[in-house]
Amino acid sequence: YLGMMGFFATIISLVQAMVLEREEIMHFFDGVPEPDGKVCSTSTGLLLVFSFMLVNALSYTATAWFLLVSEATFLNLSLLTGDLWSVVFMIVA
């Protein structure tokens, strides 16, 4: 069930991105310099997109594994205290 839901969600997400964000996606891969003069090559852009997809997939897999060995309450508390720890480390570091 979850595999099929993920499969169809991917297809719907791709169609939605192509319809609603076509111009932004084309601008990302066209190699035109940004106002600050930086250019992202097509291979670098694809590497960034696939890295983002891989990290998201790993995140969802780790969340599912975490819920198998722990409770949802602990997951919610972990997610809620993440911002607090980032502030603490920013102040200390």
Side-chain angles (χ1 to χ4, degrees):
Y1 171 73
L2 290 177
M4 291 298 289
M5 187 173 73
F7 175 73
F8 288 112
T10 302
I11 293 174
I12 291 170
S13 176
L14 286 173
V15 170
Q16 182 181 13
M18 291 300 148
V19 170
L20 298 176
E21 299 180 9
R22 181 178 54 243
E23 296 297 324
E24 289 83 4
I25 293 171
M26 288 175 25
H27 179 70
F28 182 73
F29 287 108
D30 64 1
V32 174
E34 295 292 323
D36 59 0
K38 295 183 180 178
V39 177
C40 182
S41 67
T42 303
S43 60
T44 303
L46 287 173
L47 178 68
L48 291 172
V49 169
F50 286 122
S51 299
F52 176 75
M53 290 172 24
L54 178 67
V55 168
N56 272 334
L58 289 174
S59 171
Y60 294 142
T61 304
T63 301
W65 176 81
F66 187 85
L67 289 173
L68 284 175
V69 298
S70 185
E71 296 181 5
T73 305
F74 191 59
L75 175 67
N76 287 332
L77 287 173
S78 299
L79 294 174
L80 289 172
T81 57
D83 295 331
L84 173 72
W85 286 113
S86 65
V87 169
V88 168
F89 288 133
M90 187 183 311
I91 291 172
V92 172

